[in-house]
Amino acid sequence: MGQNLLAFLGGFMFLIVVYVFTILIYNTYFHPLAGFPGPKLWASTRFTYVFSIWSGYLARDVRQIHEQYGDFVRIAPDEISIASPEAWHDVYSNQTSREALPKSKLWHSPAPGRPKSILNALDPKDHQRFRRSIEPGLSEKALREQEDIMQTYVSSMIAKLEKTVSSKGGADVVDISSNAGCFVALLPWLELANEPSHSKECYALNLEMTRPDILSYIKIDDKGVNGLTLPEVQATSSIIIIAGSETTVSILSGITNYLVRNPAKLDLLTTDIRKAFASFEDIKLLKLRDLRYLNAVIQEGFRLCNPTPVGLPRIVPSNGVRIAGQYIPGNTFVNVHPLAISLSGKLFAKPDEFIPERWLDSALKDELSPFHDDHRGAVQVFSVGPRSCPGKHLALAEIRLMLSKLIWKFDLAVADTPRGKLHWNEQRVFSVVERQPFEILIKTREI
Ligand code: HEM
């Protein structure tokens, strides 16, 4: 009996080994994606990918794979990563002959029993209903009407910093990534609306307010046909708070990191901002939109400090598609890899350096400039197409306001502390870049 059981278990184990081995061999040599280049360890099993994402190094690892193997690489048995700027529109935008590639049900369906949010409204028509509901509150016009709210929060954060710095004799080391976290507070009504016990009252109260905010533009429809149901508003407002605050704070901390480590660029930006505004109160969104060096610094920040550098996976429909000239078989996961594009030496001169000048008109016009041929359209930090970021204008407004008010009031420099030595692009990445503490030295400006 004992021997029989042992023989059975041995045979069973043998079959499992043969099965796994057959799958690995099939994935590596006979799968429809077998012709795509890439490391065999990634092509044969999803484990390598999962281990990399779990350790926080997927964005960095896939960038290295692109450097070694080219623009189309196989990073899992059923996934191709693409590092070609043309792929942005081929993957994420609607085309004349087909819709933008869909998100997969496997990765993006709502958790069982949870209400749908904008991120997991997978059907394109249903997703449009979410977009139509939230876009009015995030338009440039709506944001101009909400400027007072933004000004109040940013100014109170600066006032808090001023108090701390003056209590330390005019200079102090501060953690920029936790201070900039005040953006969560920019969306107070959304936070309140998320409290199930308050939501109806809160929403009604909000509508009575004369001061508009993002939520007051959303049309509630209990049937979920011409607007959003209340649970959908709650689920979507959570997304807006997380998607809107983590990303913006991450970029701000990244830009500040590069600025203090490049003092010549910081000096240029400081002069630009202080010359443009005679007083702190004069700093207004409309004028900030036209500050050329400030905007070049932000664009360079987007290139180097993408908060979601792992990318946005989509699934190819069963009949296959062409992406950037390459045929991709059906049921393949595809992902445009933002980091491999924005740090590519083929697309940008001196790709690892912080050089805001590459975004100025002068670089574009001067054929002798080393940055004349940079592929500016290749950086798509907000993505493109029907699912691109609806908060783009809000994010830009917040970053411009925060950075310029900080630099108008304080002189910034590298902090000589362990947390001041953070190299932003060496942080790990999970769904977004991990937000490690980052300290800078700030001194009250002498006027
Ligand atoms: C620098 C800051 C930001 C960056 C880099 C960024 C980036 C992105 C990207 C790449 C997507 C596409 C996600 C996908 O296709 O799955 C996205 C979607 C989204 N973002 Fe942002 N975002 C930023 C700020 C904001 C802000 C301030 C808001 C708040 C209003 C916001 C709200 C959203 C929402 C609601 C979506 C989902 C859109 C949809 O599925 O249709 N984001 N964002």
Side-chain angles (χ1 to χ4, degrees):
M1 174 71 182
Q3 269 190 347
N4 280 352
L5 184 67
L6 225 58
F8 173 77
L9 285 178
F12 187 65
M13 289 303 289
F14 176 74
L15 283 180
I16 289 185
V17 170
V18 170
Y19 177 71
V20 170
F21 198 66
T22 311
I23 288 185
L24 295 182
I25 297 287
Y26 169 78
N27 283 345
T28 314
Y29 298 106
F30 303 103
H31 191 283
L33 300 183
F36 285 88
K40 300 262 181 289
L41 206 58
W42 291 66
S44 59
T45 161
R46 190 43 93 170
F47 274 122
T48 324
Y49 176 102
V50 170
F51 181 73
S52 172
I53 201 166
W54 178 74
S55 6
Y57 293 113
L58 184 67
R60 190 197 65 183
D61 290 347
V62 177
R63 183 191 168 204
Q64 278 167 2
I65 295 176
H66 276 295
E67 275 175 6
Q68 195 179 343
Y69 293 92
D71 286 351
F72 288 80
V73 293
R74 192 174 175 206
I75 55 166
D78 55 354
E79 181 158 346
I80 300 293
S81 173
I82 307 167
S84 156
E86 278 174 64
W88 281 118
H89 284 289
D90 291 353
V91 173
Y92 302 104
S93 295
N94 289 332
Q95 314 280 308
T96 39
S97 57
R98 62 165 173 87
E99 288 185 325
L101 297 187
K103 285 181 168 180
S104 97
K105 287 197 179 97
L106 183 73
W107 289 20
H108 294 106
S109 293
R114 302 291 293 274
K116 211 184 309 167
S117 80
I118 189 163
L119 279 188
N120 44 40
L122 301 187
D123 173 66
K125 283 232 156 53
D126 198 31
H127 175 249
Q128 260 177 29
R129 178 172 62 91
F130 277 83
R131 293 292 294 217
R132 272 200 305 270
S133 299
I134 69 162
E135 270 170 358
L138 292 166
S139 68
E140 279 192 276
K141 180 175 164 288
L143 291 177
R144 274 199 297 278
E145 289 167 8
Q146 299 169 57
E147 175 163 0
D148 283 355
I149 312 182
M150 238 182 277
Q151 291 278 5
T152 308
Y153 281 106
V154 175
S155 296
S156 81
M157 195 215 87
I158 299 283
K160 210 176 89 191
L161 282 179
E162 251 186 318
K163 214 169 137 193
T164 319
V165 169
S166 73
S167 72
K168 296 277 172 64
D172 195 15
V173 166
V174 296
D175 178 351
I176 200 72
S177 63
S178 70
N179 274 289
C182 79
F183 287 126
V184 184
L186 274 178
L187 308 158
W189 285 105
L190 291 179
E191 266 187 292
L192 274 176
N194 248 352
E195 287 288 326
S197 54
H198 294 149
S199 50
K200 280 228 173 199
E201 295 83 339
C202 166
Y203 186 76
L205 189 58
N206 190 45
L207 282 184
E208 282 165 18
M209 287 172 57
T210 45
R211 190 184 66 176
D213 65 17
I214 300 170
L215 189 64
S216 50
Y217 287 84
I218 298 181
K219 195 170 159 214
I220 296 277
D221 174 10
D222 287 341
K223 294 200 176 74
V225 178
N226 292 317
L228 303 184
T229 64
L230 207 54
E232 288 172 342
V233 173
Q234 288 168 342
T236 299
S237 56
S238 296
I239 299 294
I240 291 180
I241 291 168
I242 297 163
S245 55
E246 267 308 313
T247 46
T248 310
V249 174
S250 180
I251 289 262
L252 262 167
S253 125
I255 293 177
T256 319
N257 187 293
Y258 275 99
L259 279 172
V260 294
R261 296 194 303 114
N262 291 275
K265 310 294 179 200
L266 176 58
D267 280 352
L268 285 173
L269 179 62
T270 308
T271 310
D272 195 35
I273 290 169
R274 292 181 185 173
K275 252 173 57 187
F277 300 102
S279 77
F280 184 73
E281 289 69 32
D282 282 349
I283 303 179
K284 293 277 163 17
L285 288 180
L286 200 62
K287 189 155 178 195
L288 286 173
R289 220 179 47 177
D290 298 330
L291 282 202
R292 270 176 294 182
Y293 202 71
L294 170 68
N295 288 306
V297 163
I298 294 172
Q299 289 302 328
E300 188 66 342
F302 286 162
R303 189 179 71 82
L304 290 169
C305 315
N306 189 326
T308 56
V310 166
L312 315 160
R314 299 291 190 261
I315 183 97
V316 174
S318 52
N319 48 349
V321 286
R322 271 200 174 272
I323 298 176
Q326 169 73 51
Y327 175 76
I328 311 279
N331 305 317
T332 304
F333 287 101
V334 285
N335 188 18
V336 179
H337 196 263
L339 210 59
I341 290 182
S342 60
L343 298 182
S344 158
K346 285 190 294 184
L347 303 172
F348 295 96
K350 303 186 183 175
D352 294 312
E353 291 178 35
F354 180 75
I355 306 176
E357 286 73 7
R358 71 174 86 241
W359 298 95
L360 295 176
D361 281 353
S362 48
L364 199 64
K365 287 181 192 144
D366 177 6
E367 284 182 22
L368 297 178
S369 160
F371 311 108
H372 178 261
D373 295 326
D374 277 3
H375 289 57
R376 290 165 192 80
V379 178
Q380 296 292 357
V381 73
F382 296 103
S383 191
V384 295
R387 287 187 180 269
S388 65
C389 180
K392 176 180 176 172
H393 300 302
L394 175 60
L396 271 167
E398 287 174 345
I399 295 168
R400 285 177 186 141
L401 201 60
M402 182 80 174
L403 206 55
S404 53
K405 288 202 153 180
L406 187 72
I407 287 177
W408 199 94
K409 275 274 175 184
F410 302 104
D411 294 326
L412 315 187
V414 170
D416 190 15
T417 61
R419 289 176 167 188
K421 296 192 172 56
L422 174 78
H423 282 238
W424 196 89
N425 51 2
E426 286 171 9
Q427 293 175 104
R428 289 177 305 167
V429 180
F430 296 95
S431 50
V432 289
V433 173
E434 101 181 300
R435 182 146 51 97
Q436 279 191 20
F438 168 52
E439 290 175 343
I440 57 169
L441 178 69
I442 62 172
K443 279 188 211 164
T444 310
R445 164 193 177 188
E446 281 175 24
I447 302 182

